[in-house]
Every structure is written in structure tokens, then in C-alpha cells.
Amino acid sequence: MSLDEQTTGAFLLELYRQTEGNMEAQVSMHQVAEALGHEKDAAAALAQGLMMEELVELRTLAGGISLTENGLAELRNRGLVAAGGPQEVSRLSGEAVLNEEDRTVLENVTADIRAAVAEAEATFDDLEAMVVDIKTIEVQLLSKVAKTAVIAAVLRSLQSSFRRLGKEKIWQKIEELLAKV
């Protein structure tokens, strides 16, 4: 792939997230780029490169794009999503420091974790511990060299809490996320 590997992977993963894995759905290329902190010109250039590699398909002249089968296969090959359709689970890369793709994956999973905590019927102490774990992840993400080992330890703590509370879906999602770590 000729484009920057991390930027490409992060863009594809964000497109996947925004379309919820539905290859018939479309979103604005600018919206995807904005979520990653890129300017409109960079979005157009990146999307054009991905279209040339047949990873992304242009759906509208206004910049509506969708993920192609090749784009989904690329995400799977990189280990960013597992086979299984729209409910696929993203994974961390396993590198010592979080890369851009890892950050995108982690932000998405953290949103799912927050939702699960909000729904959890737990004691105050359990809720407090889970909120502190979430805040620890958020603080790590403020660093340009966020440590995967720290994130993994916090995620394992959350996983343990969810397992105790019988929240099987979210603890399994965390398990899959940590498959390479």
C-alpha cells in the first residue's frame, strides 16, 4: 500500500465505525477525516488514494463514501476487525505504544464501555472503580506515547468487573480487543 499505513488504517477503521460495518451505508469523507483530526484537503487526497486502491468507493459527488469488500478485507488483514459482519470486534495492534489505529479502536471501545457502565446494576464501589478505570484510559490517551501495557492492564480490570456483573458481551469484546496484547 503506497499511502501511509497508519493513516490509511485509521481512516478505514473510522469509516467502518461510522457506517457500523454496513458497506451499503455512506458517510462524508470530510466527516471521517474530521473525526481523525484531518483537514478537508487531506481528506480528499486520502479518500482519493483509497479509491484508487479500491478500498473505498465514492457514492456521491458531494464526497459520500463507503467501504468496499477490499477495504473490509484490508481491515481484517491488519487485525483491526475480526470476521463476523457488522458486529465485528476491533483489536489493538500489540505495539508497545499506541498507534493512530489503536487510538481509534480504543476510543470506539471506550464509548461501548461507558454505555455498559451506565447500564450496569452495580454497587457504588464497583461503579466508582469502573469510572476511575475509564478516566485512566482517557488520561493515557492524552500522551503522545500512551503505553499499551497500561491500557491493557486497565482494560483487564474493567473486564474483571464486567465479568463479575455478568455483562458477558462487553467483557468478551474487551477480550477480543486484547487478543494481540
Side-chain angles (χ1 to χ4, degrees), residues 2-3 8 11-12 29-30 33 40-58 63-65:
S2 60
L3 298 170
T8 299
F11 191 92
L12 288 172
M29 70 176 79
H30 303 294
K40 282 188 175 187
D41 292 341
L46 183 55
Q48 183 178 10
L50 293 172
M51 285 179 238
M52 291 175 64
E53 294 190 26
E54 298 179 352
L55 302 174
V56 169
E57 179 180 11
L58 182 66
I65 58 172

Side-chain angles (χ1 to χ4, degrees), residues 92 95-98 106 132-141 143 145-158 178 181:
L92 295 178
E95 296 176 16
V97 174
L98 296 179
L106 194 55
V132 169
D133 284 345
I134 292 168
K135 293 296 182 189
T136 302
I137 291 171
E138 291 171 349
V139 168
Q140 268 297 303
L141 288 173
S143 171
V145 289
K147 310 295 186 290
T148 302
V150 173
I151 296 293
V154 173
L155 287 170
R156 285 187 182 100
S157 172
L158 283 163
L178 295 172
V181 179

Side-chain angles (χ1 to χ4, degrees), residues 28-41:
S28 165
M29 70 176 79
H30 303 294
Q31 184 179 339
V32 174
E34 183 180 309
L36 297 172
H38 297 296
E39 307 254 339
K40 282 188 175 187
D41 292 341

